Amino acid sequence: MSGLLALLDDVAALTKIAAAQLDDVSAQAAKVGVKTAGVLIDDTAVTPKYVHGLPAIRELPIVWKIARGSLFNKLVILLPIAMLLNIFAPWLLGPLLMLGGGYLCFEGAEKIWHIFQPEPAHVDKSAGLDAAHLEQTRVSGAIKTDFILSAEIMTIALSSIEADSLWTEGMILAMVAIGITAFVYGSVAILVKADDVGLKMAQGAYFEWTRSLGRAIVRGMPGFMETVASIGTAAMLWVGGSIIIHGLEGFGASTLGHAVKAFAYMVRTAVTFASGFAGWAAEATLSGIFGLAVGMVLLLILSLAKTLLPSRWTA
């Protein structure tokens, strides 16, 4: 009996250790997930366009297909690559992060550029496809785009993890991948169906206030989607600029990083109300301005390359 009690005591102790480790993994996963905010918001803003023009009954199945593809990208392809990279070539993490930050800056700058210089209308190559082929084309395109964004998310997450063991690191990355995918595509599912729900409320609800709410949802969704897209663009520039600034510090070029932190500290000490938020906003704003400058330079380089190089090289 005493041996059984001792065994149960050992089991209880191991359970407490496992629970503590799980809490630590969950806390780190949440902390790491916050650092991917810029990519998350942009991913959420971009994905609804892939269901545009398709039957409403197919919207949620399409979102589910894209979500499964995104999860496959993260767990089956990118997670093993990230772990191998961290084991055999951790020195590559900084340059890869900066490369991803440059991509975010380029994407954000390109979106701002197109506000002032809209692209000429392109012929929709999918116009002649039937619904099944159109859906397959849209899903395939969305999963390819998601792969780039997921790679950036996993790289940012990997650089932010503070774990003692390889297994803990892998668990945190897996939790981040699952949690982020659920958040992004759950949000997308709500966004793409909100106008349908609003229309049903406006047409068939019993109470007048419910019908008014439905009409408000239908009228407000286009503006809301534009707002989400704008926030996503700003977040991409902020995150991309911040990644490059921190990467430069790792290579010894810390002047810009120190200047940004000094300005944020000055704002924080000068503001009496919500000083912490004011300091963060100042640092994020400067990082975003720097990210926009980097993105515009990359946009100019790409434009020159398209002009000077043969078209088969820049297609």
Side-chain angles (χ1 to χ4, degrees):
M1 189 63 184
S2 61
L4 177 60
L5 292 175
L7 177 62
L8 291 176
D9 185 62
D10 289 341
V11 170
L14 289 172
T15 303
K16 288 180 181 180
I17 294 172
Q21 287 183 340
L22 187 59
D23 287 342
D24 183 57
V25 168
S26 301
Q28 279 219 50
K31 178 182 176 183
V32 168
V34 170
K35 294 193 176 184
T36 64
V39 193
L40 283 182
I41 298 171
D42 185 68
D43 205 359
T44 306
V46 166
T47 306
K49 75 176 183 181
Y50 292 104
V51 300
H52 179 71
L54 290 168
I57 196 173
R58 295 300 304 162
E59 288 177 344
L60 290 183
I62 289 172
V63 172
W64 171 238
K65 285 183 179 180
I66 299 172
R68 282 188 302 176
S70 176
L71 206 56
F72 182 87
N73 285 340
K74 293 182 181 75
L75 293 179
V76 179
I77 301 175
L78 294 170
L79 178 59
I81 291 175
M83 298 301 293
L84 290 172
L85 174 68
N86 203 31
I87 295 170
F88 296 107
W91 54 271
L92 267 179
L93 189 57
L96 285 176
L97 266 176
M98 293 181 70
L99 187 65
Y103 170 77
L104 292 178
C105 293
F106 171 79
E107 284 285 300
E110 188 180 37
K111 290 180 181 181
I112 291 177
W113 176 256
H114 288 324
I115 294 175
F116 300 99
Q117 295 288 334
E119 285 186 305
H122 292 289
V123 177
D124 186 2
K125 296 180 181 179
S126 63
L129 298 177
D130 59 60
H133 285 125
L134 178 58
E135 178 176 324
Q136 184 178 359
T137 301
R138 293 276 183 87
V139 170
S140 176
I143 292 174
K144 289 177 183 176
T145 301
D146 175 88
F147 184 85
I148 299 173
L149 297 173
S150 294
E152 183 63 15
I153 287 171
M154 297 297 278
T155 307
I156 294 173
L158 182 62
S159 69
S160 306
I161 294 174
E162 299 172 1
D164 297 328
S165 71
L166 193 63
W167 291 108
T168 303
E169 193 174 75
M171 287 175 62
I172 293 171
L173 273 178
M175 286 188 68
V176 169
I178 295 170
I180 282 175
T181 304
F183 173 80
V184 168
Y185 291 99
S187 301
V188 169
I190 293 172
L191 289 175
V192 299
K193 299 306 291 184
D195 53 351
D196 293 339
V197 174
L199 185 61
K200 287 183 179 179
M201 291 171 63
Q203 292 177 341
Y206 183 78
F207 298 104
E208 175 58 31
W209 68 268
T210 312
R211 292 194 293 272
S212 299
L213 177 61
R215 289 192 293 269
I217 292 173
V218 173
R219 287 195 300 265
M221 279 308 297
F224 179 75
M225 290 299 298
E226 289 291 333
T227 301
V228 171
S230 300
I231 293 173
T233 300
M236 288 175 78
L237 293 172
W238 155 51
V239 173
S242 178
I243 287 173
I244 294 176
I245 289 172
H246 289 309
L248 290 173
E249 289 179 334
F251 287 101
S254 57
T255 303
L256 183 59
H258 288 162
V260 171
K261 289 182 176 65
F263 179 75
Y265 177 77
M266 183 178 67
V267 171
R268 197 160 38 244
T269 54
V271 175
T272 56
F273 177 75
S275 59
F277 174 79
W280 171 85
E283 185 172 348
T285 301
L286 288 184
S287 298
I289 293 172
F290 175 73
L292 178 60
V294 171
M296 286 298 180
V297 171
L298 293 174
L299 191 59
L300 176 62
I301 292 172
L302 184 63
S303 299
L304 290 174
K306 285 184 177 180
T307 303
L308 299 176
L309 295 177
S311 58
R312 66 177 181 274
W313 291 3
T314 58

